[in-house]
Amino acid sequence: MAGPALASQALQATPWTGIDLDGRLFATLTPCFATSFERTRWVVRQRDGSAVEVALDRGHITAGGHRLALCELELELLAGSPEVLFALAGQIAERLAVLPLSASKSERA
């Protein structure tokens, strides 16, 4: 693919096909933001069977001629109790300057 583009095939078998029968509406859509980042992932496993995925995204978000640096650490509980997730987050916060953020990449764009 030469650049950012919407894939009409991705909308097959969705309600979109009933909204835009002839594809004219789809042809008018353009991206309003783009993300470019590298993701590094680890799974932290505990002896009790708990598992947390840690993902580090580094790159940028572009929108409206502006560029925002992106350095995001995301924790996802794969198995176990939520306490395990919060304990790991606390351990990370003791060693790194991190702030919680609930806004998605698209919300920040």
Side-chain angles (χ1 to χ4, degrees):
M1 186 180 308
L6 299 170
S8 62
Q9 312 87 289
L11 297 174
Q12 298 303 318
T14 71
W16 181 267
T17 56
I19 296 169
D20 187 22
L21 299 174
D22 60 6
R24 283 192 281 173
L25 182 58
F26 183 85
T28 66
L29 298 176
T30 59
C32 58
F33 72 93
T35 60
S36 176
F37 61 91
E38 282 191 34
R39 173 170 282 181
T40 305
R41 296 180 354 182
W42 303 268
V43 176
V44 177
R45 299 184 190 281
Q46 303 292 329
R47 288 190 176 107
D48 68 358
S50 300
V52 175
E53 180 181 89
V54 180
L56 174 63
D57 294 343
R58 294 187 59 189
H60 61 272
I61 302 169
T62 55
H66 300 280
R67 183 174 168 138
L68 175 67
L70 175 67
C71 184
E72 179 177 281
L73 190 66
E74 181 179 315
L75 306 179
E76 180 179 347
L77 182 63
L78 301 176
S81 68
E83 289 81 15
V84 171
L85 179 76
F86 290 109
L88 179 59
Q91 290 173 356
I92 291 169
E94 287 174 4
R95 291 166 178 82
L96 299 172
V98 293
L99 296 171
L101 179 66
S102 62
S104 68
K105 291 174 183 71
S106 61
E107 289 172 321
R108 285 181 273 163

